[in-house]
Amino acid sequence: MASNKILVIDDTTVVRVKVREMLPPGNFEVIEAKDGSEGYNLILKEKVSLIMLDFLLPKMSGWEVFQKIQAQPELRKIPLVIMSGRKEEVTEKFVEPFEYFEFLGKPFDQKQLVGAIKSAMVKSKKERPDLNTPPVNPANQQPVPVAVNAVDSSAEIKLLNDKIIKMQGEIDSLKQQLNKVVTFIKQKIK
């Protein structure tokens, strides 16, 4: 039995299989999840050594999974690779350079995959500030006041959720178009 588990959370079977095939042989087991909700449940249930997380996922987005991981000190220590074919979507949520996780752009090759995993393992060991301590202004070492406006936050969350729903619709539409093209090509090849 493998001592290390790598969890690949991606809604595309091809990507999950590709990651499994590209990983060098070792003492690990690859487990897979096809959506964010299933992936998060596996994170809680299994003792994973590494998480490879697609950013755009059905049921629970990669961003939501990331936030749930970060809310729990034990889970925050797990090396994390965030994958996406649309880096701009990731950089809308995170400021570069990515300090505590690694980003892997799709499509990727074996060298990029292995490099991202190694980098994620190093970054996961970095000391993190306590979540309950306010951020500090480096110029004067004074705490930065954090204003929380619940109305703005809930409105922003609703806008983001609406955007996710719209994007999922666009993704589904593109998948349908791709299936039609593939079917057409298969008919022409016969």
Side-chain angles (χ1 to χ4, degrees), residues 166-181:
K166 180 182 175 196
M167 289 171 52
Q168 188 61 51
E170 292 172 1
I171 290 169
D172 292 342
S173 174
L174 288 170
K175 283 180 180 178
Q176 288 175 346
Q177 291 174 10
L178 181 61
N179 285 336
K180 287 178 183 176
V181 169

Side-chain angles (χ1 to χ4, degrees), residues 44-71:
L44 296 176
K45 189 175 107 180
E46 303 283 342
K47 185 169 173 43
V48 297
S49 303
L50 173 79
I51 301 167
M52 300 205 54
L53 175 64
D54 186 17
F55 202 66
L56 299 175
L57 291 168
K59 295 190 182 176
M60 183 189 297
S61 72
W63 170 245
E64 291 170 306
V65 173
F66 176 83
Q67 289 178 305
K68 287 181 175 276
I69 291 169
Q70 296 308 303

Side-chain angles (χ1 to χ4, degrees), residues 46-99:
E46 303 283 342
K47 185 169 173 43
V48 297
S49 303
L50 173 79
I51 301 167
M52 300 205 54
L53 175 64
D54 186 17
F55 202 66
L56 299 175
L57 291 168
K59 295 190 182 176
M60 183 189 297
S61 72
W63 170 245
E64 291 170 306
V65 173
F66 176 83
Q67 289 178 305
K68 287 181 175 276
I69 291 169
Q70 296 308 303
Q72 299 180 50
E74 285 308 306
L75 299 182
R76 290 191 320 171
K77 296 175 186 173
I78 301 171
L80 174 66
V81 176
I82 292 184
M83 306 178 290
S84 180
R86 298 170 64 170
K87 187 174 183 178
E88 64 278 0
E89 305 241 336
V90 177
T91 56
E92 282 179 12
K93 300 285 185 192
F94 302 101
V95 179
E96 284 193 85
F98 306 120
E99 195 170 356

